[in-house]
Amino acid sequence: MKSRLLLFAAASAAALVSTAASAQTKPANDTAVEELVVTGTRGEGRTRLESLAPVDVISPTALTRQGTTELAASLATLAPSLDFPRPAITDGTDSIRPATLRGLAPDQTLVLVNGMRRHASALVNVNGSIGRGSAAVDLNAIPTISLEKVEVLRDGASAQYGSDAIAGVINLRLREARSGGSATATYGVYDTKVETARDPNGRTKHDGPTETIAAWQGLPLGKDGFLTLSGEYRFRNPTSRGDLDPRLTPPQISSRYGDPQEKDVTFYANAGLPLNDVWSAYGFAGYQNRKTDSAAFPRLYNDSRNTPSIYPQGFLPLITTDIDDYTVAGGVKGDVGGYNVNAGVVYGYDKINYGVIHSLNASMGAASPTSFDAGSMKYDQWVASIDVTKPLDLGIAKPATLAFGAEYRHEGYAIGAGDVPSYTFGGITGKAAGAQGFPGFKPSNEVDKNRHSYAAYVDLDAPVTEKFDVDVAARYENYSDFGSTTNGKLSARYALTDSFALRGTVASGFRAPALQQQYFTATSTNFILINGVNTPVEVGTFPSVSPVAAALGGKPLEPEKSTNYSLGAVFHQGPFELTVDAYQINIKNRIVLSENIQGSPTGSPTAQAIYALINPPGSAGLGAARFFINGVDTETKGLDVVGRYRLLTDDLGEFDFTAAANFNSTKVKKTPKTAQLSALPVPPILFDRGNVLTFERGTPRQKHVVSVDWSRAAFAATAKATYYGDVLVPNNSPSLDYHTGSHTIVDLEGRYTLPMGPVLALGVNNVFDEYPNKTPTIVNTTGAVGFPSFSPFGFNGRFLYGRVTINW
């Protein structure tokens, strides 16, 4: 009821503003809201309000006014259905943080660049973060300075684009400019008071200073072509939001729980060149190098994993990543006998080199090194496609658009071993093997796998009457590893008046199992909650078809399958617009990472039986094993509401009001089981209560954004308030559950354009220094964390920043 009242109040306020302003405003520029879109449609010249499915169009101006220079963080503040938590102490996920759309998995949203499939990161999320078990696209590998706009299709689109488009599609459109340019320098720092469960009086922190320098330049290419270059350098210092460690006397901070230290260098180029009156060539390329270090859990001086002769005061292991990510694409488009043809190829590559510093291999004793090469993961992808469109005169209101095409995709995935000290057992009995914090990949973990797929699709967009438009699409794909799948989509839009229309979609979709999910393997020390205590356990992660996983019931992974329904309404009158879209997404056979199946050489018959299954003769004595498995069915229901009003006044300047809301709920309908484990005296759970509730309550069920942009002469300002609904941080024992709480974050920015042209901006994100609820001491026995990493707005507090922009 509270949510309905808030939404009703926002809508009423917008209506009142519209009515009150009608007598004092200039004539509104109606074309200002008519952005053309290419995502989700094969037809040309269609605006986002005319589209048959909901599409958000986000400008580069809006992206750069968020304080943060991270693309994923900026998008999350602008798109109510997008969630971007900031996990910490989660190994590689600290450095490559996944975003989610409509509360689904990060890899259930397809990402395109200029309409071409973007490659995923080599990382698979295997620890306790949102998106556990997923292998997603790293949105932060693309700098905001390089973008012309971002289109977010909030609708299932596998029949149009193929695998992954279950929740929707994010299409990143690069700048296209022959001239002009811009340079921006941004500096920001956290200025906050940190109050944790064991430190209610708090401490003042001024940390995480971030420097970003970015620029773009448009250049002519031939007579009518363009070449747009962009680049960005960003350095972010780490933050620390841990609690006091009660194991120390007096209690003090022993962890570094927060953002990692990070340095990014990124370059992008986008080009287009007419070859003649009919054909043109296009291409883009991008490269990013990202170096990070993030903290693991601290090891105190008396920890069994410490060697006092090396670290008499204990140590805090740091996990480093050196990530190279690049992409290159090219193609031609033109006309052949009345058919518009677009043929292109794109290649993407992502490699993560892991290291561990300020650490040791306890099993080597005093002979242990303190820094390690922990190995690497890499993923690459080739996509070759041809898309053909043709107007058809079917004797209906307007020419229909027939589209068809084909695609070939080749993917590769590899794991490389680290240096010997990073994984070896050094011979000291009772001491953990490998680098503390992140044991290196062993030679037995090395893989080098690939697969390919073929696809063909057809799409017909038919304006049956002046008011009624129907789109029908179908797509067939065949994969070399699991076989084929066919998906379809039916969308329609009916305009009851020039201002009001209804739209809806019924579609099927799929997501192919990622190579990362099929072949990732590693052995690491995980902290598992046992009898209320975070306990280190050696855990092996295995491919589902490995001997260990097969002994537990693992089978070859199959694709996830979805059915999507949506129904919405669009209203547009002058400078006011409102869209309301309800949706339901049913997904079967979702791929998840199983629980840690724990065994013991002693104890109950079940524990001994599991120990025998996961420790074949000659093994190192694992305490637990896990593997990827199909079998989770979910149902997601929700509602998106977006309203916008533009007000142009003679005396007060120009105003752009936006109010948006997302309501989302997911229910887990089925969890996986295997015959082998079900036959044990006490069958272990493959997908436990904690993970079920993470699916259901790990992202906000409500998110509301209200903002206003104002400008008058040389002055401008942006004010925004974002309400995040409560998020549950679940455990297997209900008594250990806790919540982030519901919070409203207020952001402010002011801008002034100097007479010579530079634009100065000062801003504050999280003006009132809001934090999620504190992590309770009952689940934080070491004090390593201070706040829940599930928080949708992070846990770093107030951020002050300044920005200088020069345009030419």
Side-chain angles (χ1 to χ4, degrees):
M1 179 60 69
K2 176 182 176 183
S3 303
R4 294 190 180 96
L5 290 173
L6 287 171
L7 184 60
F8 177 77
S12 301
L16 288 172
V17 169
S18 174
T19 303
S22 60
Q24 59 182 359
T25 61
K26 300 177 183 179
N29 179 7
D30 288 353
T31 61
V33 299
E34 296 298 307
E35 298 100 334
L36 299 180
V37 297
V38 297
T39 309
T41 178
R42 305 290 182 182
E44 295 184 357
R46 177 167 288 164
T47 71
R48 60 182 174 81
L49 295 180
E50 295 170 339
S51 66
L52 278 64
V55 180
D56 298 320
V57 179
I58 301 171
S59 70
T61 302
L63 289 172
T64 57
R65 292 178 180 174
Q66 307 309 310
T68 178
T69 56
E70 291 183 286
L71 175 59
S74 295
L75 288 174
T77 64
L78 294 166
S81 55
L82 196 71
D83 184 40
F84 184 60
R86 284 72 155 176
I89 314 186
T90 52
D91 297 347
T93 308
D94 289 16
S95 303
I96 304 176
R97 293 164 165 171
T100 68
L101 187 67
R102 289 181 163 176
L104 298 180
D107 53 9
Q108 290 171 333
T109 299
L110 176 63
V111 178
L112 309 174
V113 177
N114 283 359
M116 305 179 82
R117 177 180 286 268
R118 171 75 180 179
H119 61 279
S121 165
L123 175 75
V124 58
N125 300 294
V126 295
N127 288 319
S129 62
I130 298 297
R132 180 178 184 266
S134 64
V137 171
D138 180 10
L139 288 172
N140 287 333
I142 299 97
T144 57
I145 194 75
S146 68
L147 298 175
E148 183 70 31
K149 64 179 177 179
V150 178
E151 296 179 355
V152 181
L153 172 64
R154 292 178 277 115
D155 200 21
S158 291
Q160 295 166 298
Y161 298 105
S163 178
D164 306 347
I166 289 178
V169 180
I170 298 175
N171 191 4
L172 309 173
R173 306 291 300 180
L174 300 175
R175 290 184 187 272
E176 300 181 1
R178 284 174 50 86
S179 61
S182 176
T184 299
T186 306
Y187 177 81
V189 64
Y190 288 100
D191 175 44
T192 183
K193 185 175 182 181
V194 184
E195 300 176 359
T196 56
R198 289 189 174 89
D199 187 18
N201 294 325
R203 62 188 190 273
T204 299
K205 296 288 291 186
H206 302 279
D207 63 0
T210 303
E211 308 158 7
T212 305
I213 300 173
W216 70 270
Q217 176 65 56
L219 300 170
L221 191 62
K223 182 180 178 181
D224 299 309
F226 68 89
L227 171 63
T228 308
L229 303 176
S230 58
E232 181 181 82
Y233 167 83
R234 178 172 59 230
F235 183 83
R236 181 180 66 197
N237 289 273
T239 60
S240 180
R241 302 293 181 267
D243 203 349
L244 299 178
D245 191 333
R247 299 171 299 174
L248 296 173
T249 305
Q252 55 190 282
I253 305 297
S254 63
S255 65
R256 200 185 83 186
Y257 177 71
D259 287 343
Q261 179 173 287
E262 180 177 324
K263 183 174 74 172
D264 301 344
V265 179
T266 315
F267 298 99
Y268 261 78
N270 189 34
L273 178 65
L275 301 176
N276 52 40
D277 292 339
V278 177
W279 289 90
S280 61
Y282 61 87
F284 63 85
Y287 170 76
Q288 182 184 80
N289 176 257
R290 180 185 304 168
K291 291 182 171 66
T292 73
D293 70 60
S294 60
F297 283 90
R299 273 67 167 166
L300 301 187
Y301 69 97
N302 58 353
D303 194 303
S304 63
R305 296 162 293 174
N306 184 31
T307 300
S309 62
I310 299 178
Y311 295 111
Q313 304 300 318
F315 64 101
L316 180 66
L318 298 180
I319 302 168
T320 67
T321 64
D322 188 347
I323 305 168
D324 284 310
D325 185 287
Y326 61 80
T327 184
V328 60
V332 293
K333 55 185 177 181
D335 184 83
V336 179
Y339 290 85
N340 296 314
V341 179
N342 185 339
V345 178
V346 59
Y347 176 72
Y349 173 91
D350 185 84
K351 183 176 182 180
I352 308 171
N353 293 295
Y354 287 101
V356 189
I357 59 176
H358 304 161
S359 183
L360 54 76
N361 182 333
S363 70
M364 295 177 68
S368 172
T370 58
S371 62
F372 306 85
D373 172 3
S376 65
M377 297 189 295
K378 70 176 182 179
Y379 173 83
D380 70 337
Q381 172 184 274
W382 285 96
V383 181
S385 62
I386 182 168
D387 301 290
V388 182
T389 61
K390 179 179 175 58
L392 293 180
D393 187 358
L394 301 179
I396 54 180
K398 298 178 183 178
T401 299
L402 173 67
F404 58 91
E407 179 184 279
Y408 170 78
R409 180 153 51 114
H410 183 276
E411 302 169 81
Y413 175 66
I415 296 176
D419 59 28
V420 173
S422 74
Y423 62 79
T424 193
F425 175 66
I428 300 180
T429 304
K431 296 288 187 178
Q436 286 296 309
F438 189 94
F441 294 111
K442 302 176 180 180
S444 60
N445 299 140
E446 290 189 315
V447 298
D448 190 354
K449 299 291 184 177
N450 61 75
R451 72 173 174 198
H452 62 267
S453 64
Y454 302 90
Y457 75 89
V458 62
D459 190 335
L460 180 65
D461 187 339
V464 180
T465 70
E466 291 289 343
K467 296 180 179 294
F468 186 50
D469 195 350
V470 177
D471 188 290
V472 182
R475 187 181 184 98
Y476 170 83
E477 297 210 14
N478 184 278
Y479 284 76
S480 60
D481 49 1
F482 67 79
S484 63
T485 178
T486 302
N487 294 275
K489 183 174 183 178
L490 172 64
S491 299
R493 183 181 189 274
Y494 184 78
L496 282 78
T497 69
D498 290 342
S499 299
F500 182 69
L502 298 175
R503 61 189 180 190
T505 295
V506 178
S508 62
F510 80 103
R511 192 189 71 79
L515 289 179
Q516 296 92 316
Q517 294 173 317
Q518 294 187 69
Y519 297 109
F520 177 80
T521 176
T523 303
S524 59
T525 303
N526 278 25
F527 281 81
I528 300 174
L529 204 64
I530 300 176
N531 297 324
V533 178
N534 279 318
T535 305
V537 175
E538 292 300 301
V539 177
T541 304
F542 298 96
S544 65
V545 293
S546 68
V548 171
L552 298 172
K555 297 179 181 180
L557 296 180
E558 300 175 352
E560 303 174 345
K561 296 284 187 177
S562 72
T563 306
N564 296 57
Y565 308 92
S566 68
L567 180 63
V570 179
F571 178 76
H572 177 208
Q573 183 67 51
F576 177 73
E577 63 182 78
L578 178 67
T579 63
V580 181
D581 293 276
Y583 57 87
Q584 179 172 319
I585 307 169
N586 298 331
I587 309 177
K588 293 185 177 180
N589 229 19
R590 288 180 68 164
I591 300 169
V592 296
L593 181 60
S594 79
E595 305 308 324
N596 294 306
I597 310 301
Q598 299 180 52
S600 172
T602 60
S604 69
T606 295
Q608 294 183 53
I610 292 174
Y611 189 83
L613 292 174
I614 66 177
N615 288 287
S619 66
L622 291 174
R626 57 186 180 177
F627 58 99
F628 286 89
I629 186 172
N630 289 100
V632 174
D633 294 353
T634 61
E635 179 185 79
T636 298
K637 295 181 179 180
L639 181 72
D640 291 323
V641 182
V642 181
R644 190 173 184 184
Y645 179 74
R646 290 177 175 84
L647 175 65
L648 310 179
T649 70
D650 292 316
D651 301 324
L652 300 178
E654 301 182 7
F655 298 84
D656 189 345
F657 299 94
T658 301
N662 171 255
F663 303 86
N664 193 80
S665 176
T666 293
K667 293 292 184 184
V668 173
K669 299 292 187 177
K670 178 185 174 184
T671 58
K673 296 179 180 179
T674 71
Q676 290 86 334
L677 295 178
S678 295
L680 296 177
V682 182
I685 297 173
L686 279 168
F687 197 67
D688 64 18
R689 176 185 183 272
N691 278 307
V692 167
L693 288 174
T694 296
F695 269 36
E696 295 182 339
R697 299 291 307 278
T699 56
R701 289 189 168 183
Q702 299 180 43
K703 181 180 174 184
H704 312 276
V705 182
V706 178
S707 66
V708 58
D709 279 301
W710 167 80
S711 63
R712 184 177 184 274
F715 294 92
T718 299
K720 179 176 58 182
T722 306
Y723 169 82
Y724 297 92
D726 179 51
V727 171
L728 176 69
V729 184
N731 283 280
N732 289 332
S733 171
S735 63
L736 300 178
D737 290 349
Y738 60 104
H739 296 258
T740 65
S742 300
H743 301 271
T744 299
I745 308 300
V746 177
D747 304 328
L748 299 175
E749 179 181 290
R751 298 176 293 278
Y752 176 70
T753 302
L754 296 172
M756 297 300 293
V759 181
L760 306 180
L762 294 175
V764 185
N765 285 352
N766 195 352
V767 173
F768 300 108
D769 204 18
E770 192 80 4
Y771 274 85
N773 294 354
K774 305 163 188 174
T775 300
T777 58
I778 191 173
V779 295
N780 188 24
T781 56
T782 66
V785 304
F787 304 93
S789 64
F790 282 21
S791 169
F793 59 91
F795 49 84
N796 278 316
R798 180 172 47 234
F799 185 71
L800 312 178
Y801 65 92
R803 185 176 65 248
V804 180
T805 303
I806 302 174
N807 301 301
W808 58 84

